[in-house]
Amino acid sequence: MKLTVWTYEGPPHVGAMRVATCMNGLHYVLHAPQGDTYADLLFTMIERRNHRPPVTYTTFQARDLGSDTAHLFKDACQDAYDRFKPEAIIVGASCTAELIQDDPGGLAETMGLDIPVIPLELPSYQRKENFGADETFFQIVRALAKPCDRTKRLSCNILGPTALGFRHRDDIEELTGLLSELDIDVNVVAPYGANPSQIARLGAAHFNVMLYPETAESACRWLEREFDQPFTKVVPIGVGATRDFITEVIGLTGRAACVDESRLRLPWYSASVDSTYLTGKRVFLFGDATHVKAAARIARDEMGFEVVGMGCYNREFARDIRALAKEYGVTALITDDYLEVEAAIEELAPEMILGTQMERHIGKRLGIPCAVISAPVHVQDFPARYSPQVGFEGANVIFDTWVHPLVMGLEEHLLHMFRDDFEFHDDAGASHHGGKAVERVEATADQAPAQVQADDQVVVWLADAERELKKIPFFVRGKARKNTEKFACEKGVTEISVDTLYEAKAHYAR
Amino acid sequence: MNKPTHIEAGGCREAPILKERGQREVFCGLTGIIWLHRKMQDAFFLVVGSRTCAHLLQSAAGVMIFAEPRFGTAIMEEKDLAGLADAHEELDREVARLLERRPDIKQLFLVGSCPSEVIKIDLGRAAERLTQIHAPHVRVLNYSGSGIETTFTQGEDACLESMVPVLPETDARELLLVGALPDVVEDQALSLLDALGVGPVRVLPAGRADGMPHVGPNTKFALLQPFLGETASALSRRGATQIEAPFPFGEEGTTMWLRAIADEFGVDAETFERVTAAPRARARKAIAAQSEGLNGKSIFFFPDSQLEIPLARFLTRECGMQAIEVGAPYIHKGLVGPDMDMLEVGTVSEGQDVDLQLDRCRAAKPDLTVCGLGLANPLEAEGLTTKWAIELVFTPVHFYEQAGDLAGLFSRPLRRKAKLQVVAE
């Protein structure tokens, strides 16, 4: 058993639902108790989908357990077939049904339905959501894809986008446009928007674009092996990665590139003087491996941030992220324990978090701005406007999204300069985030000195030093406090004075 | 609209109930944790379950709660399924870790889930053992919130029921209010009862472990929610007596609920009139304002929270609506009977086969459909106007001062539909 408060990934059958829900003409018959229908609302409420997920739950109850739950499954399967008339059915069990061992795959097979029935083995007690999506998509591809002649014109498939993914809807559109500039047709996008008969035609493409390895790697590898389709490894998120992706596609296809970069604004916005304040801003990255990997490069090379920590929750990609972290001189945090992530962020005291919906909670608790770069997501992360992450427009969107949670450049200086101003002081917050400026509370002179336990030594903040610390802008104060305490410990100093504060500042400024 | 308070003939208590089973669109009892953990400030809810349970709680609560939740899931892994002795050891370890991290916890609920029920982890035994280990600082109780046993609000019933056996004994003649309500509403109830001279009044659950009510043969209890059947039985087993009444929704329901208590505690008619006249008038006025647009409109309830029957009674009698179908996950006539006596409705249904019920709903084309979150947007996309049911559980809706707000919850979707000048795709 493992104690968890929030989780980054759901169970594997939710991954299967992400695939089923974004496809057309496919139905998922899920052996599950009634409570598991909660998963529907992920799609109808969080993603604002306008139809129910194509899932039929068997809804068994305690009183059914003594009798024949297998019968219940077959009835549900037949009802779903009759009512929804799908082109294909996937069948599986949720965690509870797995325990009663009814073998939905075998049961469905005996029913003799005249459409493909694809059984899913998703071990609920070992694996999680991304595995479920990847495995489901792979099984669908394996069952339905047929060998076929390549299209006359050069074409590819875009593989990996699913329901509930972070900006997948818009990424498909942006990437299709980019490929069209390279004079490459898109044969099939899958699973998002595909129906089973289109899956059958995957083999007609000349190569595959693996857009999200988390959900498409198994399928891409299988298609490479069976249909001799190479696939791209670079995910085109960010300016550099998009250019690398284009180079990779040229390498695969021999097609000469002529991509219009005139819409790309990130490089100039980053270089413009207003962005000076972004220089060296300390950011912490956490999310799925693909988005973290892309975000790290953008953060350091395209926005001029300092990456002070990174990690991902999907262990399948631990090795990649560890290697990447090393390149950035930080230690990777590979965990799906929300409390561990919170502790790491608290310790590193970054000026911004680039994370998931979960890190929004952490940011709120710790008072650190947060921009979302990856699933798991919230209804707010499905914006009405067009906001892709991939390609050049994606880079523009990312610039805006990441800068927005921060206090604006010149406002930072105002906060610094007019610390005593009734409108520009720390607690007032950024002027473009709403919220009313709160009255500044005067520090009283006779406050008890703060005691801090650092390492195995008690360090006391003298009142003067505490007051001086408050003069440092709030977005770097946490770090300044930590550094000063660390410095004091190293020097064996037990009382922090104003001098200690500035000595520490000078020490770490080297 | 706003008919006077008297019971008319033609209620639906004896009408045949359409009983269905099939796919259900309803939360499981674990979801009760979402409000219970905020209500009981020193309690922690530890679900013994799967990743799905953790994900469910997160999906149900994660969008709202930006504070450290007082609940968690001990996620069972492959090795826990292998042998049960192991599972108990693991549970002890996780509980010890949790209590060390959160020394403010005074009550710990071990909550059973579908998987833990299926593999029969004995949480009762675990709770006894853990109570011995962590007493007197922490009391450990257990209940089941599993989806194979409970639906949505039944989780609160199971939780409160688990507390009844450990409530201290008393012989005092006291009124016990049963059900977790938003603080503001609970305070209103207490002040109304105080003005009537009814007392002492206790509440289950209390905000903190040391404030838990006593119970005994002279305890009279009134339910605040229509889903607390097991808790009511448990209290009766302790000798307490239930005061039966319609539930306190709307002006009429609130008055009848208060009147039943007042009668039990010998409050004279004059006092009752003096105390309730002003808030009754306010409630009627507020309902009239908020229910504009509801009069003559039809409503269809999908089963969700067990509040459906009392709410349908309020909407039909005080807001002038017509109920086409009122579905509830299960119907406990001992609790909602008084409401059923006053409700005229086309169909009462229990349980659900969601596809069949959707067919009936589409055919009936109600002006307003009350349903869970999984159905609301798809039905809106089909052109139906919906009220998502979860707000009825999470919004203060009981008693006089909320009667207008309650009507407003239903009229808002209709007003919204009328306001919007762009057609959704």
mmCIF file of all heavy atoms in Angstrom, chain B residues 147-170:
data_model
loop_
_atom_site.group_PDB
_atom_site.id
_atom_site.type_symbol
_atom_site.label_atom_id
_atom_site.label_comp_id
_atom_site.label_asym_id
_atom_site.label_seq_id
_atom_site.Cartn_x
_atom_site.Cartn_y
_atom_site.Cartn_z
ATOM 1 N N GLY B 147 -18.600 1.474 -4.196
ATOM 2 C CA GLY B 147 -19.625 1.582 -5.234
ATOM 3 C C GLY B 147 -20.418 0.307 -5.436
ATOM 4 O O GLY B 147 -21.442 0.322 -6.114
ATOM 5 N N ILE B 148 -19.957 -0.805 -4.859
ATOM 6 C CA ILE B 148 -20.789 -2.003 -4.968
ATOM 7 C C ILE B 148 -21.814 -2.040 -3.833
ATOM 8 O O ILE B 148 -22.726 -2.844 -3.845
ATOM 9 C CB ILE B 148 -19.969 -3.322 -5.009
ATOM 10 C CG1 ILE B 148 -19.054 -3.439 -3.796
ATOM 11 C CG2 ILE B 148 -19.165 -3.424 -6.281
ATOM 12 C CD1 ILE B 148 -18.336 -4.785 -3.715
ATOM 13 N N GLU B 149 -21.644 -1.149 -2.844
ATOM 14 C CA GLU B 149 -22.565 -1.109 -1.713
ATOM 15 C C GLU B 149 -23.349 0.203 -1.645
ATOM 16 O O GLU B 149 -24.491 0.219 -1.213
ATOM 17 C CB GLU B 149 -21.791 -1.231 -0.387
ATOM 18 C CG GLU B 149 -20.969 -2.494 -0.235
ATOM 19 C CD GLU B 149 -21.788 -3.651 0.287
ATOM 20 O OE1 GLU B 149 -23.016 -3.499 0.427
ATOM 21 O OE2 GLU B 149 -21.189 -4.710 0.559
ATOM 22 N N THR B 150 -22.704 1.292 -2.021
ATOM 23 C CA THR B 150 -23.307 2.600 -1.753
ATOM 24 C C THR B 150 -23.279 3.496 -2.987
ATOM 25 O O THR B 150 -22.446 3.336 -3.861
ATOM 26 C CB THR B 150 -22.521 3.353 -0.645
ATOM 27 O OG1 THR B 150 -21.176 3.559 -1.105
ATOM 28 C CG2 THR B 150 -22.488 2.586 0.652
ATOM 29 N N THR B 151 -24.210 4.441 -3.012
ATOM 30 C CA THR B 151 -24.139 5.477 -4.032
ATOM 31 C C THR B 151 -23.973 6.824 -3.341
ATOM 32 O O THR B 151 -24.513 7.046 -2.264
ATOM 33 C CB THR B 151 -25.402 5.550 -4.917
ATOM 34 O OG1 THR B 151 -26.347 6.421 -4.295
ATOM 35 C CG2 THR B 151 -26.018 4.177 -5.111
ATOM 36 N N PHE B 152 -23.205 7.690 -3.966
ATOM 37 C CA PHE B 152 -22.994 9.100 -3.613
ATOM 38 C C PHE B 152 -23.251 9.437 -2.140
ATOM 39 O O PHE B 152 -22.414 9.171 -1.288
ATOM 40 C CB PHE B 152 -23.866 9.928 -4.553
ATOM 41 C CG PHE B 152 -23.529 11.394 -4.616
ATOM 42 C CD1 PHE B 152 -22.296 11.872 -4.188
ATOM 43 C CD2 PHE B 152 -24.438 12.322 -5.126
ATOM 44 C CE1 PHE B 152 -21.987 13.219 -4.273
ATOM 45 C CE2 PHE B 152 -24.132 13.670 -5.208
ATOM 46 C CZ PHE B 152 -22.919 14.118 -4.782
ATOM 47 N N THR B 153 -24.426 10.005 -1.838
ATOM 48 C CA THR B 153 -24.681 10.516 -0.495
ATOM 49 C C THR B 153 -24.817 9.426 0.566
ATOM 50 O O THR B 153 -24.751 9.719 1.756
ATOM 51 C CB THR B 153 -25.960 11.367 -0.489
ATOM 52 O OG1 THR B 153 -26.989 10.598 -1.110
ATOM 53 C CG2 THR B 153 -25.773 12.643 -1.283
ATOM 54 N N GLN B 154 -24.994 8.185 0.130
ATOM 55 C CA GLN B 154 -25.034 7.077 1.098
ATOM 56 C C GLN B 154 -23.731 6.994 1.890
ATOM 57 O O GLN B 154 -23.701 6.435 2.980
ATOM 58 C CB GLN B 154 -25.226 5.760 0.353
ATOM 59 C CG GLN B 154 -26.591 5.159 0.509
ATOM 60 C CD GLN B 154 -26.697 3.866 -0.286
ATOM 61 O OE1 GLN B 154 -26.321 3.809 -1.456
ATOM 62 N NE2 GLN B 154 -27.205 2.832 0.351
ATOM 63 N N GLY B 155 -22.667 7.516 1.332
ATOM 64 C CA GLY B 155 -21.380 7.513 2.034
ATOM 65 C C GLY B 155 -21.478 8.273 3.341
ATOM 66 O O GLY B 155 -20.937 7.851 4.361
ATOM 67 N N GLU B 156 -22.193 9.405 3.319
ATOM 68 C CA GLU B 156 -22.363 10.162 4.569
ATOM 69 C C GLU B 156 -23.154 9.323 5.571
ATOM 70 O O GLU B 156 -22.839 9.295 6.763
ATOM 71 C CB GLU B 156 -23.076 11.493 4.315
ATOM 72 C CG GLU B 156 -23.292 12.258 5.623
ATOM 73 C CD GLU B 156 -23.921 13.634 5.449
ATOM 74 O OE1 GLU B 156 -23.691 14.276 4.402
ATOM 75 O OE2 GLU B 156 -24.642 14.054 6.378
ATOM 76 N N ASP B 157 -24.178 8.650 5.063
ATOM 77 C CA ASP B 157 -24.986 7.801 5.946
ATOM 78 C C ASP B 157 -24.108 6.744 6.612
ATOM 79 O O ASP B 157 -24.142 6.552 7.828
ATOM 80 C CB ASP B 157 -26.094 7.139 5.115
ATOM 81 C CG ASP B 157 -27.141 6.440 5.963
ATOM 82 O OD1 ASP B 157 -27.266 6.804 7.154
ATOM 83 O OD2 ASP B 157 -27.832 5.547 5.434
ATOM 84 N N ALA B 158 -23.280 6.085 5.798
ATOM 85 C CA ALA B 158 -22.414 5.031 6.341
ATOM 86 C C ALA B 158 -21.436 5.598 7.360
ATOM 87 O O ALA B 158 -21.158 4.987 8.390
ATOM 88 C CB ALA B 158 -21.664 4.344 5.198
ATOM 89 N N CYS B 159 -20.918 6.785 7.076
ATOM 90 C CA CYS B 159 -19.963 7.420 7.986
ATOM 91 C C CYS B 159 -20.625 7.751 9.319
ATOM 92 O O CYS B 159 -20.114 7.413 10.387
ATOM 93 C CB CYS B 159 -19.395 8.683 7.342
ATOM 94 S SG CYS B 159 -18.335 9.631 8.443
ATOM 95 N N LEU B 160 -21.783 8.408 9.258
ATOM 96 C CA LEU B 160 -22.461 8.786 10.502
ATOM 97 C C LEU B 160 -22.904 7.544 11.271
ATOM 98 O O LEU B 160 -22.821 7.500 12.501
ATOM 99 C CB LEU B 160 -23.663 9.702 10.210
ATOM 100 C CG LEU B 160 -23.357 11.027 9.511
ATOM 101 C CD1 LEU B 160 -24.585 11.930 9.510
ATOM 102 C CD2 LEU B 160 -22.191 11.752 10.159
ATOM 103 N N GLU B 161 -23.358 6.537 10.536
ATOM 104 C CA GLU B 161 -23.771 5.302 11.198
ATOM 105 C C GLU B 161 -22.607 4.708 11.992
ATOM 106 O O GLU B 161 -22.779 4.221 13.106
ATOM 107 C CB GLU B 161 -24.257 4.285 10.156
ATOM 108 C CG GLU B 161 -24.806 3.015 10.786
ATOM 109 C CD GLU B 161 -24.872 1.842 9.812
ATOM 110 O OE1 GLU B 161 -24.359 1.967 8.683
ATOM 111 O OE2 GLU B 161 -25.408 0.792 10.200
ATOM 112 N N SER B 162 -21.405 4.795 11.413
ATOM 113 C CA SER B 162 -20.248 4.203 12.095
ATOM 114 C C SER B 162 -19.935 4.928 13.402
ATOM 115 O O SER B 162 -19.312 4.382 14.300
ATOM 116 C CB SER B 162 -19.020 4.234 11.183
ATOM 117 O OG SER B 162 -18.445 5.526 11.132
ATOM 118 N N MET B 163 -20.393 6.177 13.511
ATOM 119 C CA MET B 163 -20.106 6.945 14.728
ATOM 120 C C MET B 163 -21.121 6.662 15.835
ATOM 121 O O MET B 163 -20.827 6.879 17.018
ATOM 122 C CB MET B 163 -20.131 8.446 14.396
ATOM 123 C CG MET B 163 -19.115 8.841 13.350
ATOM 124 S SD MET B 163 -19.326 10.525 12.759
ATOM 125 C CE MET B 163 -18.600 11.393 14.129
ATOM 126 N N VAL B 164 -22.315 6.231 15.450
ATOM 127 C CA VAL B 164 -23.392 6.093 16.443
ATOM 128 C C VAL B 164 -23.029 5.152 17.606
ATOM 129 O O VAL B 164 -23.236 5.512 18.759
ATOM 130 C CB VAL B 164 -24.713 5.669 15.757
ATOM 131 C CG1 VAL B 164 -25.776 5.332 16.794
ATOM 132 C CG2 VAL B 164 -25.205 6.776 14.841
ATOM 133 N N PRO B 165 -22.455 3.974 17.346
ATOM 134 C CA PRO B 165 -22.181 3.072 18.473
ATOM 135 C C PRO B 165 -21.207 3.635 19.503
ATOM 136 O O PRO B 165 -21.230 3.233 20.657
ATOM 137 C CB PRO B 165 -21.573 1.831 17.788
ATOM 138 C CG PRO B 165 -22.021 1.913 16.372
ATOM 139 C CD PRO B 165 -22.130 3.363 16.051
ATOM 140 N N VAL B 166 -20.350 4.564 19.103
ATOM 141 C CA VAL B 166 -19.371 5.090 20.061
ATOM 142 C C VAL B 166 -19.791 6.426 20.671
ATOM 143 O O VAL B 166 -19.038 7.025 21.432
ATOM 144 C CB VAL B 166 -17.965 5.235 19.413
ATOM 145 C CG1 VAL B 166 -17.428 3.866 19.030
ATOM 146 C CG2 VAL B 166 -17.987 6.157 18.200
ATOM 147 N N LEU B 167 -20.999 6.906 20.345
ATOM 148 C CA LEU B 167 -21.471 8.129 20.997
ATOM 149 C C LEU B 167 -21.744 7.817 22.461
ATOM 150 O O LEU B 167 -22.316 6.775 22.784
ATOM 151 C CB LEU B 167 -22.759 8.635 20.335
ATOM 152 C CG LEU B 167 -22.653 9.098 18.879
ATOM 153 C CD1 LEU B 167 -24.024 9.547 18.374
ATOM 154 C CD2 LEU B 167 -21.641 10.218 18.719
ATOM 155 N N PRO B 168 -21.352 8.713 23.373
ATOM 156 C CA PRO B 168 -21.565 8.455 24.794
ATOM 157 C C PRO B 168 -23.065 8.362 25.120
ATOM 158 O O PRO B 168 -23.887 8.971 24.444
ATOM 159 C CB PRO B 168 -20.943 9.670 25.480
ATOM 160 C CG PRO B 168 -20.119 10.346 24.452
ATOM 161 C CD PRO B 168 -20.658 9.976 23.117
ATOM 162 N N GLU B 169 -23.379 7.628 26.171
ATOM 163 C CA GLU B 169 -24.759 7.398 26.598
ATOM 164 C C GLU B 169 -25.258 8.600 27.398
ATOM 165 O O GLU B 169 -24.492 9.250 28.102
ATOM 166 C CB GLU B 169 -24.767 6.125 27.474
ATOM 167 C CG GLU B 169 -26.110 5.691 27.986
ATOM 168 C CD GLU B 169 -26.943 4.995 26.906
ATOM 169 O OE1 GLU B 169 -26.344 4.401 25.988
ATOM 170 O OE2 GLU B 169 -28.182 5.068 26.993
ATOM 171 N N THR B 170 -26.541 8.908 27.244
ATOM 172 C CA THR B 170 -27.137 9.946 28.093
ATOM 173 C C THR B 170 -28.609 9.630 28.316
ATOM 174 O O THR B 170 -29.224 8.945 27.495
ATOM 175 C CB THR B 170 -27.010 11.346 27.463
ATOM 176 O OG1 THR B 170 -27.626 12.295 28.333
ATOM 177 C CG2 THR B 170 -27.691 11.415 26.105
#
